[in-house]
């Protein structure tokens, strides 16, 4: 209470907290400003609109940049640990959201990188008390991280396969059919194995088409295998995070270890140590 009596304490409460009306109002105003600034960047990239309203878009873009720059400095000033905030996820996003406009003074065109500012809208989860969705997002992140090595090995195998097939297609089709080099053959193989199929290069010989057909069939595994790996890791991670807490009336239902009552029938749960 004593800390909030100071100006810095009151600002910290408004900027970093979310459980009072002023704090919620600040977060809501911030989200609206972020959305408007990103919309302006998008509209400025449209040729006819840039011709008509370019100077207005530029002024608005700098207005929001100054606004967010002041906000960032206030966050550093009011944070309990400025270094910790600056190294945090939102701290990095906050500084990246204002950097492109300043960089555009030296490198024209970089202001369009401001679309990264939309990451800041993630604060809406805190505003609307949707932190359980953040928990689920962390669960997906952990699952992908746990399967990263398997996916890397699989993708490396796919790249090796694409390189071999690309070399073969260069040898089989040759420059007269569009395969002017092995890198272009590798490009075609990657486009084919991922089932994208731009059609800018295509085999003309019988052997080349047979090889392309085999590569297209192989392409389905590019989608199926990583999905299966991540799904398997998600199941394993979910099982590791749940303990055997049973309901006397619903023995097949498994609950998390902090559950007290069954989510199906409301009966008090019986933990293993309770016998």
């Amino acid at each position: 209470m004593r800390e909030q009596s100071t100006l810095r304490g009151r600002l910290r409460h408004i900027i970093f907290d979310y459980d009072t009306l002023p704090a919620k109002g600040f977060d809501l105003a911030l989200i609206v400003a972020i959305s408007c600034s990103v919309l302006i960047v998008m509209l400025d990239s449209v040729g006819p609109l840039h011709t008509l309203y370019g100077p207005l878009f530029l002024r608005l873009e700098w207005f929001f940049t100054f606004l967010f720059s002041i906000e960032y400095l206030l966050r550093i000033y009011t944070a309990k640990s400025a270094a910790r905030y600056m190294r945090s996820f939102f701290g990095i996003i906050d500084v990246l959201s204002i950097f492109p406009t300043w960089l555009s003074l030296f490198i024209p065109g970089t202001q369009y990188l401001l679309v990264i500012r939309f990451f800041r809208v993630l604060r809406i989860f805190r505003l609307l008390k949707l932190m359980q969705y953040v928990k689920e997002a962390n669960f997906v992140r952990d699952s992908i991280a746990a399967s990263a090595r398997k996916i890397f090995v699989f993708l490396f195998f796919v790249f090796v396969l694409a390189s071999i097939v690309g070399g073969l297609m260069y040898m089989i089709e040759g420059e007269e059919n569009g395969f002017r080099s092995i890198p272009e053959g590798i490009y075609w193989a990657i486009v084919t194995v991922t089932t994208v199929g731009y059609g800018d290069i295509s085999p003309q010989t019988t052997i080349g088409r047979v090889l392309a057909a085999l590569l297209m069939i192989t392409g389905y595994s590019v989608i199926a295998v990583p999905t299966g790996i991540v799904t398997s890791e998600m199941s394993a991670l979910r099982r590791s995070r749940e303990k055997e807490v049973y309901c006397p009336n619903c023995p097949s239902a498994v609950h998390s270890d902090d559950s007290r009552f069954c989510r199906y029938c409301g009966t008090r749960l019986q933990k293993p140590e309770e016998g």
Side-chain angles (χ1 to χ4, degrees):
M1 295 297 294
R2 182 179 178 182
E3 184 184 7
Q4 291 188 11
S5 62
T6 64
L7 176 61
R8 184 183 179 190
R10 290 195 297 270
L11 287 175
R12 180 188 300 127
H13 175 69
I14 293 174
I15 294 175
F16 287 99
D17 292 340
Y18 59 93
D19 54 351
T20 63
L21 187 60
K24 290 181 178 179
F26 175 81
D27 277 349
L28 182 60
L30 180 62
I31 290 170
V32 171
I34 293 168
S35 302
C36 291
S37 66
V38 173
L39 179 62
I40 289 171
V41 173
M42 292 180 178
L43 293 177
D44 189 40
S45 66
V46 180
L49 294 179
H50 178 76
T51 303
L52 292 174
Y53 306 107
L56 175 62
F57 289 150
L58 182 62
R59 288 193 291 269
L60 289 174
E61 181 182 315
W62 275 106
F63 166 76
F64 284 115
T65 297
F66 277 117
L67 187 68
F68 294 139
S69 298
I70 294 172
E71 181 228 347
Y72 179 70
L73 294 176
L74 285 175
R75 287 184 181 274
I76 294 176
Y77 169 69
T78 58
K80 292 183 179 180
S81 173
R84 183 178 179 182
Y85 160 70
M86 293 171 68
R87 292 194 302 266
S88 66
F89 171 77
F90 279 115
I92 295 173
I93 293 298
D94 289 345
V95 72
L96 288 179
S97 69
I98 60 177
F99 182 71
T101 304
W102 295 106
L103 184 62
S104 67
L105 293 174
F106 307 97
I107 306 177
T110 55
Q111 68 271 18
Y112 296 116
L113 292 174
L114 284 174
V115 291
I116 197 174
R117 190 175 285 169
F118 222 31
F119 268 114
R120 304 193 67 197
V121 179
L122 291 174
R123 283 189 170 92
I124 197 172
F125 287 104
R126 183 184 71 170
L127 177 64
L128 300 180
K129 296 182 178 180
L130 300 177
M131 295 308 295
Q132 62 268 30
Y133 290 97
V134 176
K135 182 179 179 181
E136 293 299 323
N138 291 336
F139 174 77
V140 175
R141 179 201 62 194
D142 294 341
S143 301
I144 294 176
S147 57
R149 291 183 180 180
K150 297 177 183 177
I151 294 177
F152 173 78
V153 171
F154 175 75
L155 292 180
F156 180 75
F157 168 76
V158 172
F159 178 75
V160 171
L161 176 65
S163 300
I164 295 173
V165 173
L168 290 175
M169 291 301 291
Y170 170 71
M171 182 181 65
I172 294 171
E173 296 292 328
E175 296 185 10
E176 62 273 13
N177 292 325
F179 293 83
R180 295 185 294 267
S181 65
I182 292 179
E184 286 200 21
I186 295 174
Y187 157 78
W188 170 84
I190 293 174
V191 169
T192 303
V193 80
T194 54
T195 69
V196 176
Y198 290 126
D200 52 344
I201 305 175
S202 59
Q204 303 300 319
T205 65
T206 302
I207 299 177
R209 289 177 177 177
V210 170
L211 189 59
L214 294 175
L215 195 61
M216 293 174 194
I217 295 173
T218 305
Y220 285 103
S221 65
V222 175
I223 300 173
V225 174
T227 303
I229 291 174
V230 176
T231 303
S232 176
E233 291 294 341
M234 291 178 71
S235 300
L237 187 60
R238 188 176 297 277
R239 287 194 299 269
S240 67
R241 291 184 177 182
E242 292 183 345
K243 295 184 178 180
E244 296 181 340
V245 182
Y246 299 100
C247 170
N249 298 329
C250 311
S252 61
V254 180
H255 300 78
S256 58
D257 60 338
D258 60 346
S259 300
R260 295 181 178 274
F261 300 93
C262 178
R263 61 176 178 266
Y264 297 108
C265 65
T267 304
R268 184 177 179 81
L269 298 176
Q270 184 178 12
K271 295 186 179 182
E273 61 269 16
E274 295 176 350

